[in-house]
Amino acid sequence: MDYNLVTHLESCATIIKENADFVHLINYSHVPISILALLVGGYVYFKNPRDLLSRILMGISLAFSLWSFFDLIAWLSTDSRYIMFAWSMQGMINALLFLLCFYFVHVFITKRDLPSWYKLSLTLSILPVIILTPTHFNLTEFSVASCEATEGQYFLHYYYLYNLFLFLSALLLQIRGYWFASKASRAQILLLSIGIDSFLVSFFVTGYLASVLENFNLAIYGLFGMAFFMVFLSYLIVQYRTFNIRLLSVHALVTALVLLVGSELFFITSPVQFTLIALTVIFLLILGRALARSVEKELERNEELQRLTGELAVANQELRRLDTVKTEFLSIASHQLRTPLTAMKGYLSLLLEDSYGKISEEVKEILNKVFVVNTRLARLVEELLNVSRIDAGRVQYSFEKTRLEPVLKELEDAFSVGAQERGLKLAFRMPERPLPQLSLDIVKIREVISNLIDNSLKYTKQGSVTVSVRSDAGFVEVLVEDTGIGIAPTVLPNLFEKFVRSKETSKLEVSGTGLGLYVGKKFVEAHGGTIRAESAGLGKGSRFIIRLPVPVR
Ligand code: ADP
């Protein structure tokens, strides 16, 4: 090469001296942004070195830093050999940067590597730039007066066109990717596009304008686009969870502080100040390390917590499945049990009514006992069936507008003989005025009240059971009171839960399942009503109150 190469050019030194402020700007635009790019690129790469995207990003960071480094030399050197070498390399690195960015966008959006033929054509198309780099086509001469190189127009336009083509292809990929992406991926594509496009556009426009207008001050502003890209990329990577931003931000903060304070070391002359700042840097490093460790530990704990939560969710799902299986089994088993019980009840009634001929009193007594046991069993099966229907959400209600009086009358008839046999007084107190009409599933409400009366008779040794009804302020209340064993205050809050029976009940040796009140509560709630229990304590009787709303006309 026969450039007019000279070392220690006066003109360059003078230009640098005269533009001291601008030189500062150059430093500040090149050094921190390159460090940022290397930090982000390096971090991602070392976290996941096998991932293609991490590798391309590392390539972008390296190419960018190299470009910035050569640019610094081109600006700050007074040796035309270095200036020319650095400057001549920039076109090639510029094209390489665009190539890598396109590659990055392609892999990011398609999640696939470029096909071989595509790679080959891209390599062939960048080949002229590489081959022509060390020739006169790239830089034609060096001007001593302005301390600048003159750029070859063909070479310049070739690689800028090449860059434009790559940029437009990347843009097309982004638009297509966005169009066909799911909602969640759209946000990611948008973030990447904003980041990388702001870098490519600013780098392209300022670089091209600088070359064409021969105003190279412009070019340095393009570098700030890289900072943009890195910030967006960091955010994206957090979304992808490749690494955690909290850790990165601590590292970044500490590095920035160390760099900031450490850079002072180059500007001071006093040994005392030097020592102080050096100590500050060491202190910062130690503090930063401790901070990073604590964040790392917390992140580890978080990860562990997330893992455990995941395991718990799986276990929970399995439990729910088992619960459904149980409900299903209960339902099938109860159905199978109900049919023979109903048949037995029918035949027993016929036998007792002498429909198959006269039977002796002795046999009748035995059959009566069988009848009672059969009824109890049928009731238990019905309760189990109800529970399985409730748990599976398959209870069917048929509401109709009706009054409560007939139901209560029916229940009075059904229970009075039994109460008398036990020596208990069963009283029904009806209001003088007719009750308002309610929206009721008569079968279910009858079952609820019937269970309450049955309980009161079961859990009362002597005294009375009173059923009364009152209507007030848009509600009708059915009260079932007794003078029986009462309920301990500790049991009261859980009384309406499945399989809850008090200790006293078990001592009494009265049969029961602890399901009646649970079913009753569900049925009453389906009517928009409430059910509650009151008792002054053990041995002091109990009172159950069903409250049903009167529908507004
Ligand atoms: P079961 O009577 O079949 O055990 P329930 O669900 O109807 O089931 O009642 C649950 C429990 O509530 C009973 O076991 C008993 O301990 C208590 N209980 C219900 N009614 C009364 C009452 N009138 N007096 C005292 N305890 C009662």
Side-chain angles (χ1 to χ4, degrees):
M1 272 195 267
D2 51 352
Y3 296 126
N4 45 349
L5 301 173
V6 192
T7 57
H8 299 296
L9 281 163
E10 262 319 304
S11 56
C12 296
T14 320
I15 289 173
I16 292 170
K17 225 178 271 169
E18 279 173 1
N19 294 297
D21 287 344
F22 194 69
V23 169
H24 273 123
L25 183 63
I26 289 171
N27 276 327
Y28 273 97
S29 60
H30 287 62
V31 181
I33 298 177
S34 298
I35 291 175
L36 178 70
L38 283 175
L39 274 178
V40 175
Y43 205 111
V44 173
Y45 177 75
F46 289 110
K47 273 267 157 187
N48 214 348
R50 293 227 187 111
D51 181 42
L52 181 59
L53 216 53
S54 312
R55 288 187 196 173
I56 306 173
L57 186 66
M58 191 63 209
I60 293 176
S61 308
L62 283 175
F64 177 79
S65 309
L66 201 63
W67 189 94
S68 303
F69 176 65
F70 283 141
D71 206 42
L72 273 181
I73 294 178
W75 276 108
L76 303 178
S77 175
T78 54
D79 187 326
S80 66
R81 288 171 307 172
Y82 294 147
I83 298 177
M84 286 304 272
F85 174 72
W87 199 312
S88 67
M89 293 302 280
Q90 281 183 291
M92 183 174 73
I93 300 174
N94 199 324
L96 196 69
L97 248 176
F98 274 71
L99 184 76
L100 286 171
C101 285
F102 167 76
Y103 195 11
F104 187 82
V105 170
H106 181 276
V107 177
F108 185 91
I109 287 178
T110 62
K111 311 263 181 285
R112 260 181 276 128
D113 198 356
L114 276 171
S116 309
W117 64 268
Y118 211 131
K119 275 190 200 163
L120 187 72
S121 32
L122 284 177
T123 315
L124 285 179
S125 53
I126 202 176
L127 223 54
V129 182
I130 298 173
I131 293 169
L132 294 179
T133 288
T135 68
H136 271 91
F137 286 100
N138 182 359
L139 299 180
T140 52
E141 61 175 352
F142 181 79
S143 148
V144 177
S146 64
C147 194
E148 280 171 358
T150 310
E151 295 175 336
Q153 291 302 304
Y154 292 119
F155 182 83
L156 177 85
H157 279 95
Y158 179 79
Y159 81 76
Y160 268 107
L161 261 173
Y162 179 72
N163 288 359
L164 188 66
F165 166 76
L166 286 171
F167 168 65
L168 291 177
S169 310
L171 198 66
L172 215 70
L173 266 177
Q174 292 161 19
I175 295 170
R176 246 189 46 194
Y178 184 85
W179 191 264
F180 293 109
S182 64
K183 214 172 170 193
S185 327
R186 276 190 169 181
Q188 289 166 1
I189 295 177
L190 198 68
L191 277 172
L192 172 91
S193 304
I194 296 173
I196 206 159
D197 292 344
S198 48
F199 165 61
L200 290 179
V201 170
S202 61
F203 205 63
F204 182 91
V205 173
T206 53
Y208 185 69
L209 285 181
S211 293
V212 173
L213 304 176
E214 293 197 5
N215 178 359
F216 297 103
N217 298 5
L218 278 175
I220 64 160
Y221 298 104
L223 276 87
F224 291 106
M226 185 49 126
F228 234 77
F229 177 30
M230 289 299 136
V231 168
F232 275 82
L233 198 71
S234 302
Y235 182 73
L236 253 177
I237 292 161
V238 175
Q239 290 268 327
Y240 272 153
R241 302 199 181 277
T242 312
F243 61 85
N244 199 298
I245 191 70
R246 275 208 284 162
L247 198 57
L248 176 72
S249 53
V250 171
H251 284 316
L253 187 75
V254 173
T255 315
L257 279 175
V258 169
L259 282 176
L260 216 70
V261 179
S263 65
E264 293 282 309
L265 289 172
F266 299 100
F267 300 105
I268 39 182
T269 41
S270 133
V272 180
Q273 273 188 4
F274 189 89
T275 321
L276 273 177
I277 290 179
L279 282 176
T280 315
V281 170
I282 293 169
F283 176 70
L284 269 176
L285 277 172
I286 295 169
L287 197 77
R289 174 101 198 104
L291 199 66
R293 283 278 328 142
S294 76
V295 172
E296 218 163 344
K297 276 221 178 96
E298 201 195 313
L299 288 175
E300 273 166 20
R301 265 201 299 273
N302 266 353
E303 262 169 35
E304 178 68 7
L305 208 69
Q306 264 177 1
R307 194 182 59 76
L308 288 177
T309 315
E311 277 177 15
L312 211 66
V314 172
N316 203 13
Q317 215 171 356
E318 179 61 11
L319 273 180
R320 232 177 272 164
R321 194 187 64 79
L322 286 176
D323 197 50
T324 326
V325 171
K326 179 214 75 187
T327 309
E328 207 59 32
F329 165 77
L330 210 65
S331 160
I332 294 168
S334 316
H335 264 296
Q336 302 299 329
L337 287 171
R338 195 163 61 158
T339 324
L341 284 176
T342 318
M344 275 161 76
K345 190 178 175 182
Y347 286 122
L348 281 171
S349 302
L350 289 172
L351 278 172
L352 286 167
E353 284 162 13
D354 294 336
S355 304
Y356 297 107
K358 189 111 182 92
I359 49 173
S360 69
E361 281 307 308
E362 210 175 318
V363 176
K364 228 178 216 173
E365 203 177 312
I366 294 169
L367 283 181
N368 251 325
K369 279 188 186 151
V370 177
F371 189 85
V372 170
V373 176
N374 184 69
T375 313
R376 203 183 293 154
L377 208 59
R379 197 187 174 91
L380 170 69
V381 169
E382 193 57 39
E383 252 164 21
L384 285 175
L385 252 177
N386 276 334
V387 170
S388 69
R389 281 194 206 112
I390 288 168
D391 288 355
R394 280 203 298 249
V395 187
Q396 287 189 347
Y397 293 91
S398 64
F399 293 101
E400 55 176 311
K401 280 220 160 161
T402 181
R403 293 205 164 81
L404 264 178
E405 286 96 331
V407 182
L408 295 169
K409 184 83 199 77
E410 214 178 294
L411 290 171
E412 187 175 6
D413 294 342
F415 281 105
S416 28
V417 181
Q420 235 170 18
E421 278 173 3
R422 288 170 195 235
L424 295 171
K425 200 176 143 225
L426 176 64
F428 274 75
R429 293 213 187 107
M430 295 301 211
E432 273 151 30
R433 276 191 290 159
L435 290 165
Q437 277 204 325
L438 302 175
S439 172
L440 299 177
D441 181 323
I442 273 294
V443 178
K444 305 234 167 32
I445 283 297
R446 186 194 299 122
E447 200 173 321
V448 181
I449 305 173
S450 159
N451 181 53
L452 292 186
I453 301 173
D454 189 47
N455 279 350
S456 280
L457 292 172
K458 267 194 317 197
Y459 303 123
T460 306
K461 285 225 167 126
Q462 57 194 39
S464 61
V465 174
T466 314
V467 182
S468 53
V469 192
R470 63 182 180 211
S471 88
D472 80 324
F475 286 93
V476 168
E477 286 188 339
V478 181
L479 294 88
V480 180
E481 291 167 87
D482 61 56
T483 56
I485 61 167
I487 303 159
T490 44
V491 186
L492 262 181
N494 309 320
L495 209 59
F496 293 90
E497 284 167 22
K498 247 185 269 182
F499 301 110
V500 169
R501 302 195 77 205
S502 76
K503 265 194 238 145
E504 287 64 33
T505 319
S506 324
K507 276 187 230 152
L508 272 183
E509 289 182 22
V510 213
S511 66
T513 53
L515 291 173
L517 290 181
Y518 169 76
V519 172
K521 185 171 166 20
K522 297 288 172 190
F523 283 178
V524 171
E525 279 171 354
H527 283 75
T530 56
I531 181 167
R532 63 180 200 275
E534 294 171 357
S535 173
L538 284 177
K540 296 190 175 150
S542 324
R543 183 216 290 247
F544 286 81
I545 302 135
I546 302 173
R547 195 169 154 85
L548 294 166
V550 178
V552 268
R553 257 168 267 180

